[in-house]
Amino acid sequence: MSAIPFIDLQAQRRRIASEIEHAVTVAVEGGQYIMGPQVRGLEEQLAQFAGVKHCIACANGTDALMIVLRAWNIGPGDAVFVPAFTFAASAEVVALVGATPVFVDVLEDTYNIDPKSLEAAIAMVKREGKLMPRAVMPVDLFGQPADYSAIEAIVAREKLKLLVDTAQGFGATIDGRQTAAIGDAAGTSFFPAKPLGCYGDGGATFTNDGDLAELLRSIRVHGQGTDKYENVRVGVNSRLDTIQAAILIEKLKIFPQEIEMRERVARRYTEAFRRSNRVKPPHVIEGAQSTWAQYTIQVSDRDKLAADLKAKGIPTAIYYPTPLSHQKGYAHFPSAGTPVSDRIAKHVISLPMHPYLDEATQDRIIAAVLESAGA
Ligand SMILES: Cc1ncc(COP(=O)(O)O)c(C=O)c1O
């Protein structure tokens, strides 16, 4: 049987190949390879899509988060609360600015930050008195919005900044709100495998705060002032390529439909797995629309499942095998305890997920999963 791709980027490419090739040609012929007009155009379209006043494109999702922390002067002695079960970049950006990531546990069924664990971590930091709590960075893991109504109440009470890591969740909504519109700022990634991905690295920050937007625009280009060679602060080099912006403009046109297509795939998986008591499908919270960056289940023996599926030409992936709180580079940072992250990291396994997964292929995957799990 033919091998199934984990994410079929080529199916999307075939659909809009001529539009993308035209857009790239226009960008190349235009000759403004860095910060060309397509970058500004994309920023406006993304801001409008997300319902946010300002969008600042940059080189990748890691920078999109990091430059916000820099703009807020978060640094040595400051604590930023991040989930333990996430991609390294979420905590990396905190450490990169010299601040301390404090690990918070996640919820078993949504994989997102646990508001109760967040409260416990904030209380721990305040009690110890060594670090100043400054910000919370929830992650929309696998595309699902975190529980923002609970998180917003905590950050308001504790007077903390809220920076949303929606690298995996751009386009997701909760109670009709786009995740990029939540908090004081949000950062996303356009890494190729992301639901809205370009053909290289890319990222963007979103905020309704005009002063912050101005700072971010300066920091992204070497702390530039009003003139190109005026440097009013220490910044970074984090620009989005014009070609990538041109590609993203074309992809954004079909993005809302692609989210619906992903939802259809996810719903079929969940309906099938609900009938089994050996496969735990992901739970989506009330009022939330995930972008399904990943479709991640839990099983008791995931090594067996991965091997059985591989033998049938079905790829799987493990996001994430080790919580950050136990990674060598991060284990020395404080944590309020992450028992749920520790447990689920041993059982999670992600299945092929993309908008162009046809029903026959999906049925093949579902049958293989159920057979392997013994359901
Ligand atoms: C949760 C999360 N945060 C941040 C990032 C960083 O994005 P990038 O790879 O574009 O730097 C990623 C990307 O994989 C991510 O998954």
Side-chain angles (χ1 to χ4, degrees):
M1 260 194 238
S2 59
I4 294 171
F6 189 69
I7 297 177
D8 191 353
L9 290 175
Q10 289 308 321
Q12 183 204 52
R13 204 194 73 79
R14 280 192 295 275
R15 178 177 170 190
I16 53 170
S18 61
E19 289 88 339
I20 291 208
E21 275 153 31
H22 178 69
V24 170
T25 304
V26 170
V28 172
E29 285 178 351
Q32 285 180 261
Y33 306 126
I34 298 286
M35 302 297 274
Q38 288 87 340
V39 174
R40 190 78 207 117
L42 174 70
E43 287 177 336
E44 280 164 14
Q45 289 183 29
L46 289 172
Q48 196 183 15
F49 177 92
V52 185
K53 281 195 193 139
H54 309 279
C55 167
I56 300 93
C58 63
N60 54 68
T62 308
D63 285 356
L65 299 165
M66 194 262 290
I67 60 175
V68 176
L69 298 177
R70 285 191 72 139
W72 286 339
N73 268 323
I74 288 183
D78 292 334
V80 178
F81 300 88
V82 296
F85 190 64
T86 178
F87 182 63
S90 313
E92 181 182 53
V93 293
V94 179
L96 274 175
V97 298
T100 301
V102 178
F103 292 115
V104 177
D105 211 357
V106 298
L107 294 162
E108 169 111 38
D109 53 353
T110 64
Y111 310 125
N112 277 332
I113 198 164
D114 176 354
K116 287 212 166 50
S117 176
L118 173 61
E119 285 179 317
I122 296 169
M124 177 191 82
V125 168
K126 284 164 77 172
R127 199 169 52 242
E128 288 177 353
K130 290 190 215 133
L131 297 167
M132 171 73 78
R134 291 287 308 278
V136 177
M137 197 197 302
V139 176
D140 300 322
L141 204 73
F142 306 146
Q144 168 161 211
D147 182 358
Y148 286 106
S149 54
I151 295 164
E152 284 174 322
I154 297 169
V155 297
R157 194 178 65 226
E158 300 288 342
K159 300 190 172 49
L160 302 174
K161 294 279 195 194
L162 177 56
L163 172 57
V164 171
D165 177 349
T166 198
Q168 302 183 10
F170 184 70
T173 57
I174 179 141
D175 300 327
R177 286 192 299 164
Q178 291 270 335
T179 52
I182 294 173
D184 298 286
T188 197
S189 164
F190 303 124
F191 181 80
K194 295 286 189 274
L196 180 64
C198 54
Y199 289 165
D201 274 312
T205 307
F206 297 82
T207 183
N208 283 315
D209 176 342
D211 294 337
L212 176 63
E214 206 174 304
L215 261 176
L216 297 174
R217 287 188 194 285
S218 165
I219 293 171
R220 118 181 119 169
V221 190
H222 305 293
Q224 189 176 282
T226 45
D227 178 79
K228 195 172 177 189
Y229 294 109
E230 184 196 15
N231 304 99
V232 294
R233 58 184 59 81
V234 176
V236 295
N237 174 9
S238 188
R239 298 169 295 218
L240 181 69
D241 289 348
T242 305
I243 287 179
Q244 300 302 345
I247 291 165
L248 284 165
I249 287 171
E250 294 309 316
K251 289 202 180 193
L252 187 59
K253 290 178 189 161
I254 59 167
F255 187 50
Q257 193 204 10
E258 286 189 336
I259 295 176
E260 281 173 27
M261 292 160 81
R262 285 174 179 276
E263 173 64 29
R264 227 172 10 242
V265 173
R267 213 174 287 155
R268 281 188 94 240
Y269 269 145
T270 299
E271 272 164 24
F273 297 144
R274 262 208 199 112
R275 291 195 287 270
S276 155
N277 53 12
R278 305 212 180 166
V279 179
K280 186 171 155 52
H283 171 71
V284 179
I285 58 173
E286 187 78 26
Q289 166 67 64
S290 175
T291 54
W292 298 107
Q294 302 295 341
Y295 187 88
T296 304
I297 58 173
Q298 291 176 55
V299 290
S300 60
D301 188 350
R302 72 156 170 227
D303 293 342
K304 176 182 180 312
L305 182 66
D308 289 348
L309 266 59
K310 192 175 175 203
K312 292 179 174 162
I314 302 169
T316 55
I318 310 296
Y319 303 113
Y320 296 93
T322 310
L324 285 183
S325 42
H326 298 298
Q327 291 276 8
K328 192 170 171 207
Y330 292 89
H332 60 289
F333 291 119
S335 146
T338 58
V340 176
S341 303
D342 299 353
R343 190 166 64 244
I344 61 176
K346 297 193 182 88
H347 297 289
V348 286
I349 180 163
S350 302
L351 302 177
M353 163 54 81
H354 59 86
Y356 304 95
L357 190 60
D358 63 71
E359 292 193 357
T361 309
Q362 192 179 14
D363 288 343
R364 221 177 107 190
I365 300 166
I366 290 169
V369 170
L370 294 176
E371 191 189 328
S372 170

